[in-house]
Amino acid sequence: MQDEILLQISGKIKERRKELGITVQELADKAEVSKGLISQIENSRTIPSLMVLMDIIKSLQIDLNSFFKDINFHKKDAPVLVKRKDQYQKFEKEQAIGFNYSRILTKNIKFSTADFVLLELEVNAHRPMVKTEAFEFKYMIEGKVEYQFSKKKIILEKGDSMLFDGRLSHTPVNVGDGKALMLVIYFFE
């Protein structure tokens, strides 16, 4: 449940920043933290300390009680959870053009969290190499993607899958003729 709460907090920070029409850099300057830290928090890649979180919330010109009032701390999970595709949460990652992410489900599993995401890559999609603090499972639903790592490239086509340590620098490149679609599952420890 803790990781689900963190995803809610990171989503609220990003949403409020966009409502105010300020950039990641402007928020970082106001909160007196680095741009990279704000980006990592907004993308649920790091956990801010309580003091940093409070500084960020204040910089977003929002009351602490208002910020936390919609966060669900005590939600009990039903035995069967169904998510319809129109309920998937759209989100962006830093410096990624043509990458359309949809979060399907985030679930705390004993000592880890699994985050289920659909990633659609447009034909000209591109971003720099990234690292993720998770193991990543990829399943190709349609299209053709070349996964680039520091020292190797791996082609994945419809039906192929791959599991790797996300701490390796990596990025996918759509090398097909149309959009590529893959199921991505992040396993955070």
Side-chain angles (χ1 to χ4, degrees):
M1 180 180 305
Q2 180 182 11
D3 292 308
E4 294 169 22
I5 292 168
L6 293 173
L7 283 169
Q8 292 177 60
I9 290 171
S10 65
K12 285 192 84 156
I13 289 171
K14 187 174 204 170
E15 182 180 316
R16 177 64 178 161
R17 177 182 61 77
K18 288 185 172 188
E19 283 175 10
L20 293 174
I22 60 175
T23 65
V24 171
Q25 184 64 60
E26 290 169 328
L27 177 56
D29 292 344
K30 287 181 180 191
E32 297 181 357
V33 297
S34 72
K35 176 182 175 182
L37 179 61
I38 295 293
S39 179
Q40 289 181 343
I41 291 168
E42 284 190 357
N43 289 295
S44 305
R45 292 187 180 189
T46 193
I47 303 166
S49 70
L50 181 58
M51 294 308 294
V52 169
L53 178 60
M54 290 176 60
D55 288 342
I56 291 169
I57 293 169
K58 287 178 188 173
S59 299
L60 291 169
Q61 304 165 5
I62 189 168
D63 176 69
L64 287 174
N65 291 329
S66 296
F67 182 85
F68 288 106
K69 79 173 180 163
D70 295 329
I71 302 214
N72 192 344
F73 291 96
H74 304 290
K75 183 178 181 183
K76 289 277 186 194
D77 292 328
V80 177
L81 177 63
V82 176
K83 274 265 189 139
R84 305 291 180 204
K85 66 180 177 180
D86 61 345
Q87 295 174 310
Y88 297 166
Q89 177 188 2
K90 303 254 185 244
F91 66 99
E92 299 172 3
K93 290 196 175 186
E94 64 284 322
Q95 300 177 18
I97 297 168
F99 283 61
N100 302 309
Y101 289 93
S102 296
R103 179 166 287 113
I104 298 170
L105 173 70
T106 300
K107 179 75 178 128
N108 191 1
I109 303 170
K110 209 141 194 183
F111 299 108
S112 67
T113 296
D115 193 11
F116 297 75
V117 173
L118 282 177
L119 172 57
E120 182 181 89
L121 293 175
E122 297 174 7
V123 174
N124 295 317
H126 63 278
R127 73 165 186 211
M129 300 281 264
V130 298
K131 294 181 181 182
T132 306
E133 292 297 317
F135 281 87
E136 297 188 26
F137 173 81
K138 313 289 180 166
Y139 175 79
M140 290 299 300
I141 297 170
E142 66 181 63
K144 184 176 180 180
V145 168
E146 178 182 83
Y147 250 87
Q148 299 178 350
F149 295 91
S150 297
K151 297 182 180 178
K152 71 165 85 172
K153 296 178 181 180
I154 299 170
I155 298 286
L156 296 176
E157 295 182 68
K158 182 177 180 176
D160 293 342
S161 63
M162 173 174 61
L163 176 68
F164 64 93
D165 186 340
R167 291 170 282 215
L168 299 171
S169 290
H170 64 278
T171 193
V173 176
N174 183 345
V175 293
D177 296 332
K179 289 183 181 179
L181 181 64
M182 71 178 82
L183 172 65
V184 180
I185 304 174
Y186 299 94
F187 296 96
F188 296 92
E189 294 179 21

